[in-house]
Amino acid sequence: MISQAFVRAPALPFAPVADGSSALVVTDEPPLVAPPAAPPGCSLERPVRTINVGDGPLSFATAAAGARSLLAISTSETSALLVTRSDGTLEALAPPFPRGTALSASGAASSMTIGWTIVATARLARAALATIDEAGGVRAFALDAVYSPVMTDVACARVDRGVRCAFAITDRDEFESVDGLEGGRMRLFSFDPRARGEALELERSSPVVGVRGSTIIDPVLPTASVIRDGGLARTVTDGGLESVDPRTLELATIGSSDRAVELRATAPTAASCQPAQWTLSFVETSRFASSARARIADAGATVIATVDARPRGVRLRSSGADGASPTVLWLDAPQCSERLFVIRANRRGQTVALTSATEFDAAADRALLSIAWREGDRVRWARYRCP
């Protein structure tokens, strides 16, 4: 592993700036408004909060850390960074990311992290991130403009008595060949979000060549899933890739086990939009059973839902007092509707419909589950307790 530092953003010419967050008004939904449902075994914490965002494009991400939750929003006009404290009160922080930015966020224990890309010119960019401590202090960092990178995903997890975070960086599309490497490259970086100083020390993995885009599976090792040849693969420590079952939609490491969500056609000729012809299953395989490269197997698959169409935006999160209870969330299109989508959640063997949405993000840290979703011209944000 090679050590590399993120430098505090204020020292850089392309530092992110606070960008008019006051234009996004946050309101507490009154008790008479129908609340979203709760995942099985969880309880909704009032209030549910609403932010009017208009009809334009936006990016939003949520994170959970201990008893706090975070919501970051970036539209073409403005940006906002909101933190709900342990007592339920809301704090608006100066967002370190600019408007029109794609965001990723995660948290664990006492720390939360946001990742994004600073685009300076058409051919120059910097990957950036910010850490937020328990007191609401925001520290922003940016990586040197090498290969004009793009930040794709951030994930944090508890480790021993601390926290470890990881993020993935890939080359931008216009840099398809760097040092003779065709199709771009991806690297994983891990760090301690609680570290102090003007630089953030990073541990950098070996490059993975020929892939773009990734989702962090385990921020401690770290490992990630990537899209390759139309399916998923997972990274291994030497910079290589191993294939996973082509039916896999999402991977995550929870505790000592690899978890997966798979989609199976219940009939060989099942169309992509045929009522109740697709089965969503949850799979658990110990990664220590044979080797660290053991493939997700059919054994242990548990059916959690039958669906009409391919689910959108599947999330696999750890929850519960010890963080070992998997929660699966996804967007479902009932009766293959082109306009109506519903967030569904499966936990402890039960599946429920939470609320209507067009897109969503979910984060969990132990007993706290944070879900943000877009519903028309507003983003709604709810917190749940999942013991």
Side-chain angles (χ1 to χ4, degrees), residues 126 135 151 292 341:
R126 277 191 172 97
M151 174 85 69
F341 297 95

Side-chain angles (χ1 to χ4, degrees), residues 31 44 55 63 116 118 132 143 171 199 212 248 255 278 299 303 307 363:
L44 174 68
D55 298 325
W116 70 97
I118 307 168
I132 303 166
L143 186 67
D171 302 331
R212 296 188 187 279
T248 301
W278 296 84
V303 174
V307 294

Side-chain angles (χ1 to χ4, degrees), residues 12 19-20 49 88 91 105 125 127 221 228 230 242 249 260 282 302 305 336 357:
L12 297 174
D19 203 353
R49 294 188 160 105
E91 181 180 12
L221 290 178
R228 183 184 65 172
E242 67 170 8
L249 299 181
F282 175 73
T302 301
C336 299

Side-chain angles (χ1 to χ4, degrees), residues 24 45 122-123 126 130 146 193 232 245 268 277 306 323 325 344 359 376 386:
L24 291 176
E45 287 191 345
R123 297 184 66 83
R126 277 191 172 97
V146 180
L232 285 184
D245 194 301
Q277 290 297 302
T306 55
S325 179
R344 297 191 186 274
E359 54 186 313
C386 301

Side-chain angles (χ1 to χ4, degrees), residues 185-356:
R185 72 174 98 190
M186 183 270 291
R187 280 188 187 272
L188 300 176
F189 294 80
S190 61
F191 64 98
D192 182 350
R194 305 168 304 163
R196 299 298 176 183
E198 294 300 309
L200 200 62
E201 291 297 323
L202 305 176
E203 293 296 323
R204 183 176 61 181
S205 72
S206 300
V208 181
V209 180
V211 298
R212 296 188 187 279
S214 57
T215 300
I216 304 296
I217 301 172
D218 183 359
V220 179
L221 290 178
T223 54
S225 62
V226 300
I227 298 175
R228 183 184 65 172
D229 300 329
L232 285 184
R234 58 179 294 161
T235 62
V236 292
T237 55
D238 60 1
L241 292 171
E242 67 170 8
S243 298
V244 298
D245 194 301
R247 298 169 295 194
T248 301
L249 299 181
E250 177 83 343
L251 285 167
T253 297
I254 300 174
S256 62
S257 297
D258 282 345
R259 314 294 178 102
V261 179
E262 296 181 350
L263 183 68
R264 294 178 169 89
T266 57
T269 59
S272 60
C273 191
Q274 186 175 353
Q277 290 297 302
W278 296 84
T279 300
L280 200 61
S281 299
F282 175 73
V283 180
E284 177 179 352
T285 301
S286 173
R287 60 190 168 104
F288 303 117
S290 55
S291 73
R293 297 188 178 190
R295 287 187 60 178
I296 298 297
D298 287 340
T302 301
V303 174
I304 59 178
T306 55
V307 294
D308 303 327
R310 185 181 182 89
R312 296 173 54 188
V314 175
R315 304 282 193 275
L316 179 53
R317 299 289 184 258
S318 60
S319 63
D322 58 356
S325 179
T327 299
V328 184
L329 302 107
W330 71 93
L331 277 181
D332 181 29
Q335 286 77 49
C336 299
S337 170
E338 296 181 359
R339 298 183 180 181
L340 176 64
F341 297 95
V342 176
I343 301 176
R344 297 191 186 274
N346 177 274
R347 186 172 183 265
R348 296 180 176 177
Q350 294 182 311
T351 298
V352 300
L354 301 187
T355 185
S356 60

Side-chain angles (χ1 to χ4, degrees), residues 128-152:
L129 60 83
T131 60
I132 303 166
D133 59 27
E134 282 186 297
V138 180
R139 303 168 70 237
F141 303 86
L143 186 67
D144 290 341
V146 180
Y147 309 135
S148 198
V150 173
M151 174 85 69
T152 61

Side-chain angles (χ1 to χ4, degrees), residues 54 57 112 237 300 326 377:
M112 294 185 284
T237 55
D377 61 354

